Amino acid sequence: MKNIKRTIAIVCGGDSSEYEVSLRSAQGLYSFFDKERYDVYIVIVRGINWRVQLGDGTTAPIDRNDFSFQENGKLVVFDYAYITIHGTPGENGILQGYFELIHLPYSTSGVLVEAMTFDKFVLNQYLRGYGVSVADSLLIRKGYEQLVSDDEIEERIGMPCFVKPAADGSSFGVSKVKNKDQLAPAIRKAMMESDDVMVESYLEGTEITIGCYKTRTKSVLFPATEVVTRNEFFDYDAKYNGQVQEITPARISADIAERANQITSHIYDILHCNGIIRIDYIISPEGRISMLEVNTTPGMTATSFIPQQVRAAGLNMKDVLTDIVENQFV
């Protein structure tokens, strides 16, 4: 008897500033998936408008009661959702909660982990309790800006520093602040993306990023990528408009690479992650490895870090994605 293909939804779009990037990630994933093994559809989520792209170039509405749709008069029900939304609702636990309610397996970590990793300030405080090195930071909430003065920020965090949306999946709204006169406009800019803003101390050093996934039978750590940009920091233009040099594997010592891998694996286990994650770090001149961010829905365009690292590891994205999907059905 012929095996029945699983039906996969690549869920993209979302309601953040990185909507278009998410659509590109979906196209990348679609090209990587094993079509001999899976029936793959792209589902675009935007507000309450959820539509699936059909093979004839048209779209059909998704029934949000059970995440199904009609194609040629036939009901199609998904077996699995691969979430590639950068920002809300796919990176902060909201969509994960929905999939939990309808009992549909999905590619990312669970509701709590997604909510926590989406909030950079909360995640830093949590992982600090496990001994993970992170930059010093403080939180400013919209409507309560007066509780922390510019002088207090300068004394506590120091200059230069970063001001960024605390709860946001994108590179929008981030500023490198060099003196306290720049704090107020930077905070206003960040609050256009998030009601909570994190002011974070500047860490000098080499920036790297490492992808990782685990299944019931194995743990896979990809070669680290070194991120070199002439911009003030790894901002949106550096990330998506080519203003960056990405070197895989990173130009770091074997010892530092091993320690960074150990930290990455440890964080994956602490958070009980699922699927592919990517963790960004700064390595100080003295060799201290500090975590910057945990990305639970990393970009999947052809030039994104994860596909680069998979190739550098001598692996195939098709096989990696099959690993991740099938791990849910063992």
Side-chain angles (χ1 to χ4, degrees), residues 23-258:
L23 298 189
R24 298 209 299 269
S25 283
Q27 291 296 333
L29 283 163
Y30 186 86
S31 72
F32 297 140
F33 262 106
D34 185 349
K35 310 303 190 309
E36 295 295 315
R37 186 163 189 158
Y38 304 113
D39 288 326
V40 185
Y41 293 85
I42 292 177
V43 175
I44 301 176
V45 170
R46 186 73 153 174
I48 60 171
N49 183 22
W50 296 15
R51 303 191 69 82
V52 59
Q53 294 182 344
L54 304 179
D56 62 3
T58 64
T59 66
I62 291 286
D63 183 343
R64 293 194 301 278
N65 289 297
D66 58 4
F67 205 62
S68 65
F69 66 97
Q70 296 277 341
E71 184 176 24
N72 298 323
K74 178 187 172 185
L75 179 69
V76 180
V77 178
F78 289 110
D79 299 300
Y80 184 90
Y82 197 105
I83 302 171
T84 189
I85 292 175
H86 311 311
T88 189
E91 203 172 7
N92 56 1
I94 294 174
L95 199 56
Q96 287 78 7
Y98 163 76
F99 286 138
E100 292 280 354
L101 284 171
I102 64 170
H103 302 288
L104 183 67
Y106 54 88
S107 60
T108 69
S109 307
V111 174
L112 177 60
V113 176
E114 292 297 316
M116 190 159 56
T117 54
F118 190 68
D119 191 312
K120 300 176 180 72
F121 183 79
V122 169
L123 180 68
N124 280 12
Q125 309 318 308
Y126 182 76
L127 290 179
R128 183 182 276 122
Y130 283 90
V132 176
S133 174
V134 296
D136 192 18
S137 60
L138 55 80
L139 189 69
I140 299 172
R141 288 205 158 101
K142 184 173 285 187
Y144 297 90
E145 297 91 336
Q146 73 284 356
L147 295 180
V148 182
S149 70
D150 293 351
D151 289 335
E152 288 175 296
I153 293 173
E154 184 178 41
E155 183 178 348
R156 161 81 182 275
I157 302 298
M159 295 290 163
C161 66
F162 283 105
V163 175
K164 58 181 73 172
D168 188 69
S170 77
S171 304
F172 290 94
V174 181
S175 302
K176 184 178 180 182
V177 171
K178 298 180 179 179
N179 60 68
K180 66 180 181 181
D181 293 338
Q182 298 174 345
L183 280 169
I187 290 168
R188 284 196 298 271
K189 177 182 175 182
M191 282 185 177
M192 293 176 69
E193 301 290 332
S194 169
D195 285 349
D196 291 348
V197 170
M198 182 167 75
V199 183
E200 185 178 55
S201 63
Y202 173 72
L203 298 176
E204 181 73 44
T206 300
E207 183 169 351
I208 66 166
T209 186
I210 302 175
C212 171
Y213 77 94
K214 298 189 181 189
T215 68
R216 289 172 173 82
T217 59
K218 63 184 174 182
S219 174
V220 180
L221 287 141
F222 302 132
T225 299
E226 181 180 348
V227 182
V228 183
T229 179
R230 293 178 181 173
N231 296 14
E232 283 285 351
F233 58 96
F234 189 47
D235 58 7
Y236 183 89
D237 282 331
K239 187 180 289 187
Y240 298 118
N241 294 329
Q243 299 175 12
V244 66
Q245 186 180 10
E246 299 166 359
I247 303 165
T248 309
R251 300 170 298 183
I252 54 179
S253 70
D255 171 65
I256 288 177
E258 177 60 27

Side-chain angles (χ1 to χ4, degrees), residues 286-299:
E286 300 76 37
R288 183 179 182 87
I289 303 172
S290 297
M291 188 212 75
L292 293 177
E293 185 174 353
V294 175
N295 190 329
T296 59
T297 59

